[in-house]
Amino acid sequence: MTKGIRVYELARELGVTSKKLLTILQEEMNITLNNHMATVNDQVANRLRWLVKGPSEGEGEKEREKAKKAEGSRPTDGAAKGSREAVKKEPSPSGATQGEAANGAARSAIRTFIWMGPMTVGELARQLEMNATDLMRRLIQKGVMAAINQTVTLEQVRDVLESMGIQVVDGQEPQKRLVKKGARPLLEGDDPQRAVPRAPVVTVLGHVDHGKTTLLDAIRRTRVAQGEAGGITQKIGASTVEWQGQKIVFLDTPGHEAFAAMRARGAQVTDVAVLVVAADDGVMPQTIEAIQHARSADVPIVVAITKMDREGANPERVKRQLAEQGLVPEEWGGDTVMVPVSAKRGEGIDDLLEMILLVAELLELKADPQRRAVGTVIEAQLDRSRGPVATVLVQTGTLKVGDPFVAGKTWGKVRSMMDDRGRSLKKAGPSTPVEILGFNEVPEAGDVFQVKASEKEARAAAEKAAAEEGGRQKRGITLAEFYRQSRDGKKELALIVKADTQGSLEALQQALGQLKVEDVAVTIVHGGVGGINLSDVRLAEVAGAVVLGFNVRPEASARQEAERAGVEIKTYRVIYELLDDVEKSLRGLLVPEKEEVVLGVAEVRQIFRLPGGQVAAGCYVQSGKMVRRAPVRVIRQGVIIHEGNMASLRRFKDDVREVAEGFECGITLEKFNDFKEGDLIECYEVRDVKA
């Protein structure tokens, strides 16, 4: 069995980028590979070596001698057929056989040719493994009068090569096309001529307790920038590490919720997402949420399978579970890089950093260091001794001490800058996280940070942003509004679906996936079991999605965030009503006639057993007010367990009509006694929607 070599290893050997090898494989050899981690066999590897570096002087001379001998011994028209077949077929460096090379005077052994620029007729003949005299004769027949040492262009030789059955590929144009497609768009105002490579920015996501912080600590402890003494002296929300002379910036976000919150404000700072999955625990609900957030951000995912030192570590099980979520390992034919890691022992750290840099290489990350700095606020706080302090990731340009700036509704002048090791800086280039003093007030995470020409201009920009804040258009969408937007170009209805059980969720996803009306389709951005939480709403805001709940209810924080962001949350108890509403929205027939308004939510803190077997719940009103005559529902861990009417509402021993937020009360419900501490009682009313 041929051992083979990975694309990135061969690229390193040849001194070219992995992207260039992938381009040559696709355009020259008609081989499409998913990424730089793919393996090619020895024959393909030798062909790539020959295409990139060309034959050595000895190899080229040897091939020409073979061609001359073959031409001299070529059988005549009257020769027996068997004498032609007697030519031994051995692979040549080009992938052609000697039998094909024997006909070199008449045609080329190369069936696909990548044109890399103007060349002489002699050079072209050598690369095509054919006789130069024959090539000149064919060029003359096409009207191109070129001597052996005369330079020809692609336009001059294309017709000749195609008449010989050779497919010609412009090796310069595909590279330009791939660069345009694969490179991250330069921030507005960047000069492409001045753009230089920058370090990738990485966010670590994953389930709680799967080792995100431990992994970051291991990376920073073992791979601090060379020449620096000591460890991390302070935490500024981001860290810069160095590996083999290349830098990587890690954002120290507390998880995918903060990641989503920044993206909800329009911040797109992450280039690569590292998904941390414990080898002994496998894929968990937060793992799936992290995958959805990374996909919504459209960033490549590198999986770090952590805790490989544990006794129950089973990386193959983790890979199977991730494959079910659409992350197929590259060794299984997929395009997701997965690296086993033990942060405790320091094993696999180098491999992980190498994979991050290789993935970033394909993105071709660049920035213009000569322009005014533009970046994003990563985190901010009010320090008692220093005032407003913010961590800013400079994404393009160079930030200098003394620069006036604006960040959202705040403005200021850079009084001082410090890196992640507490060292004072005078300037900071692209992909550099810095802690900045000089804000007039605390900015918000995700605010765009931009240097202005003067403090006056910065202040005016901040005041304008503050004035426009109230009238800023919300990014959410409702089912009733969708059809109108679909006529203006929106062709997909994005949904986030939460259900009470896995069976209900699968049934809903299958039924919704089959809905399609007039080329308008349904896309399920995320599906999960349990109540609607803050993460669901933030993901819906970023994706422009509607949140649908089946037998579940939103948390208070999720409801508040949805109101702020303009995200619609629709909850149902009957599956057919949910499907009917979605289909009507696709057809433009959904007209809201009634809406549900939550009046108040109370938490059950104590349970009292009354005479006659009835049970009363001692409650604390968390929000709104509890109204005696309003319908109620009991919610346990986000799932509705009962809907009905309130039997009584008491404040101490007195019957009351309502109890306001912040007060305690006693509640009994009709035909329900199964209260548990921690349950939520939600009262609501249904109102007619005014036309």
Side-chain angles (χ1 to χ4, degrees):
M1 182 177 177
T2 306
K3 183 180 179 182
I5 185 172
R6 293 191 186 274
V7 170
Y8 77 88
E9 294 172 339
L10 183 58
R12 187 185 303 153
E13 172 193 321
L14 297 174
V16 299
T17 64
S18 300
K19 178 176 279 293
K20 182 174 181 180
L21 283 192
L22 292 172
T23 302
I24 294 175
L25 278 165
Q26 183 175 9
E27 302 293 348
E28 162 69 5
M29 304 178 68
N30 199 26
I31 298 174
T32 302
L33 298 179
N34 292 319
N35 58 23
H36 54 276
M37 287 294 294
T39 302
V40 295
N41 60 35
D42 291 340
Q43 184 179 1
V44 174
N46 289 334
R47 172 70 168 154
L48 284 170
R49 291 186 182 98
W50 193 85
L51 287 171
V52 172
K53 291 194 170 182
S56 64
E57 187 175 347
E59 287 176 337
E61 189 63 34
K62 186 177 180 180
E63 290 302 312
R64 287 192 290 274
E65 288 296 327
K66 287 182 180 179
K68 287 180 181 178
K69 291 179 180 178
E71 183 181 1
S73 60
R74 186 174 48 186
T76 61
D77 292 340
K81 181 179 179 182
S83 63
R84 296 191 182 185
E85 295 176 345
V87 180
K88 185 178 180 181
K89 294 187 177 182
E90 295 179 353
S92 71
S94 67
T97 63
Q98 256 192 11
E100 290 171 327
N103 296 320
R107 61 182 180 84
S108 166
I110 305 294
R111 308 320 305 156
T112 304
F113 183 73
I114 297 182
W115 180 269
M116 298 305 295
M119 64 185 73
T120 65
V121 174
E123 290 172 344
L124 179 59
R126 284 195 296 273
Q127 292 195 27
L128 292 173
E129 302 173 16
M130 65 180 296
N131 186 277
T133 304
D134 184 64
L135 179 58
M136 285 190 291
R137 178 176 59 80
R138 289 176 176 272
L139 287 170
I140 293 171
Q141 289 174 351
K142 293 290 185 178
V144 179
M145 308 300 292
I148 191 168
N149 293 321
Q150 188 172 337
T151 301
V152 290
T153 64
L154 176 59
E155 289 71 23
Q156 290 176 309
V157 302
R158 186 188 292 275
D159 289 344
V160 173
L161 299 183
E162 289 180 351
S163 68
M164 297 165 61
I166 300 173
Q167 180 184 0
V168 184
V169 177
D170 188 346
Q172 297 173 313
E173 182 61 27
Q175 288 178 14
K176 296 174 185 174
R177 193 164 59 245
L178 282 170
V179 166
K180 183 177 180 181
K181 179 181 178 183
R184 284 298 180 99
L186 295 175
L187 292 177
E188 186 178 353
D190 275 11
D191 184 350
Q193 301 298 323
R194 299 185 308 201
V196 298
R198 65 171 178 83
V201 181
V202 179
T203 299
V204 180
L205 306 172
H207 188 72
V208 66
D209 295 333
H210 274 200
K212 298 190 296 292
T213 303
T214 306
L215 177 62
L216 276 172
D217 288 344
I219 291 172
R220 288 179 295 203
R221 185 169 57 250
T222 59
R223 294 298 170 194
V224 297
Q226 294 178 3
E228 296 176 357
I232 304 295
T233 56
Q234 69 182 82
K235 183 179 182 301
I236 70 167
S239 309
T240 302
V241 303
E242 188 169 308
W243 189 81
Q244 292 191 350
Q246 294 180 276
K247 291 185 177 181
I248 306 173
V249 178
F250 285 92
L251 297 186
D252 302 341
T253 57
H256 57 268
E257 289 193 4
F259 178 80
M262 290 186 62
R263 289 200 58 244
R265 297 186 57 80
Q268 181 76 348
V269 297
T270 302
D271 300 311
V272 179
V274 173
L275 179 67
V276 172
V277 187
D280 62 337
D281 205 5
V283 173
M284 302 296 284
Q286 277 189 299
T287 311
I288 298 173
E289 289 184 11
I291 293 171
Q292 300 295 347
H293 282 289
R295 282 176 175 163
S296 179
D298 194 27
V299 295
I301 299 173
V302 175
V303 177
I305 304 177
T306 57
K307 302 187 179 181
M308 289 295 295
D309 53 283
R310 294 274 181 100
E311 185 177 344
N314 188 348
E316 293 304 314
R317 178 172 63 94
V318 172
K319 291 177 182 178
R320 288 195 301 271
Q321 292 175 338
L322 289 171
E324 293 173 359
Q325 301 299 323
L327 297 181
V328 182
E330 50 85 22
E331 61 263 34
W332 293 4
D335 57 2
T336 303
V337 178
M338 299 189 183
V339 184
V341 175
S342 171
K344 185 177 180 181
R345 297 177 179 173
E347 298 171 355
I349 301 296
D350 285 354
D351 293 337
L352 178 62
L353 296 177
E354 182 180 17
M355 291 303 105
I356 291 171
L357 289 172
L358 286 167
V359 169
E361 177 187 295
L362 298 179
L363 298 176
E364 296 185 342
L365 304 169
K366 293 184 179 181
D368 177 7
Q370 299 182 39
R371 62 172 292 190
R372 289 176 185 165
V374 176
T376 300
V377 177
I378 303 301
E379 63 179 22
Q381 61 183 343
L382 182 63
D383 189 283
R384 289 185 178 181
S385 59
R386 299 184 296 169
V389 181
T391 298
V392 173
L393 176 67
V394 180
Q395 294 173 272
T396 190
T398 300
L399 181 65
K400 299 180 286 293
V401 172
D403 282 346
F405 62 82
V406 60
K409 299 178 291 183
T410 65
W411 63 281
K413 183 178 181 180
V414 180
R415 296 207 317 264
S416 68
M417 289 191 297
M418 287 183 289
D419 65 7
D420 57 335
R421 290 182 159 59
R423 300 175 306 179
S424 180
L425 299 177
K426 295 296 183 183
K427 61 181 181 178
S431 291
T432 303
V434 288
E435 187 179 71
I436 295 176
L437 300 182
F439 288 83
N440 70 320
E441 59 183 75
V442 180
E444 293 187 47
D447 279 346
V448 175
F449 178 95
Q450 188 174 8
V451 171
K452 294 293 185 179
S454 64
E455 288 186 62
K456 182 179 179 181
E457 184 179 341
R459 182 170 186 171
E463 291 174 350
K464 182 180 179 182
E468 293 176 350
E469 177 88 9
R472 187 175 57 187
Q473 184 179 3
K474 295 179 179 180
R475 301 187 62 183
I477 186 175
T478 67
L479 285 176
E481 294 173 347
F482 172 74
Y483 184 73
R484 175 178 53 80
Q485 294 193 16
S486 69
R487 289 183 296 177
D488 296 333
K490 187 177 179 68
K491 295 298 182 183
E492 281 189 342
L493 174 60
L495 300 176
I496 291 175
V497 183
K498 299 301 287 287
D500 55 343
T501 65
Q502 186 65 35
S504 299
L505 177 63
E506 291 176 358
L508 278 169
Q509 289 177 322
Q510 183 177 2
L512 288 169
Q514 294 173 354
L515 291 178
K516 188 172 182 181
V517 178
E518 296 177 0
D519 298 326
V520 181
V522 173
T523 300
I524 299 177
V525 177
H526 173 62
V529 175
I532 299 168
N533 55 38
L534 189 61
S535 178
D536 298 324
V537 175
R538 285 176 172 167
L539 179 57
E541 182 184 3
V542 171
V546 175
V547 182
L548 301 181
F550 180 70
N551 278 342
V552 296
R553 295 295 297 170
E555 298 173 356
S557 59
R559 188 185 299 109
Q560 294 168 3
E561 180 70 12
E563 291 174 358
R564 182 203 66 78
V567 171
E568 183 178 37
I569 299 176
K570 299 272 288 182
T571 58
Y572 300 86
R573 295 298 304 275
V574 181
I575 190 170
Y576 302 108
E577 292 179 0
L578 184 153
L579 296 174
D580 188 49
D581 274 3
V582 173
E583 186 173 3
K584 284 181 178 178
S585 72
L586 296 178
R587 296 182 183 276
L589 303 175
L590 183 63
V591 179
E593 299 175 353
K594 297 181 181 296
E595 66 176 355
E596 183 183 289
V597 178
V598 176
L599 299 176
V601 178
E603 180 186 5
V604 177
R605 294 191 171 178
Q606 198 169 354
I607 299 169
F608 302 94
R609 299 199 174 274
L610 306 178
Q614 194 172 21
V615 176
C619 302
Y620 174 80
V621 183
Q622 292 182 332
S623 61
K625 61 183 179 180
M626 303 303 291
V627 181
R628 186 175 61 190
R629 296 188 179 277
V632 297
R633 53 173 66 97
V634 181
I635 303 165
R636 184 171 297 159
Q637 295 181 346
V639 177
I640 300 170
I641 62 171
H642 174 75
E643 277 189 309
N645 297 312
M646 196 179 297
S648 67
L649 176 64
R650 292 193 175 191
R651 174 89 174 126
F652 298 110
K653 293 184 179 181
D654 299 327
D655 286 320
V656 293
R657 297 181 61 183
E658 59 184 48
V659 178
E661 178 180 343
F663 290 93
E664 295 178 342
C665 61
I667 296 175
T668 60
L669 301 182
E670 295 178 358
K671 301 178 182 179
F672 184 80
N673 292 323
D674 187 24
F675 291 109
K676 289 186 178 180
E677 292 183 9
D679 287 349
L680 298 179
I681 300 177
E682 182 181 84
C683 71
Y684 63 96
E685 67 178 4
V686 179
R687 299 173 182 172
D688 293 330
V689 176
K690 295 181 180 180

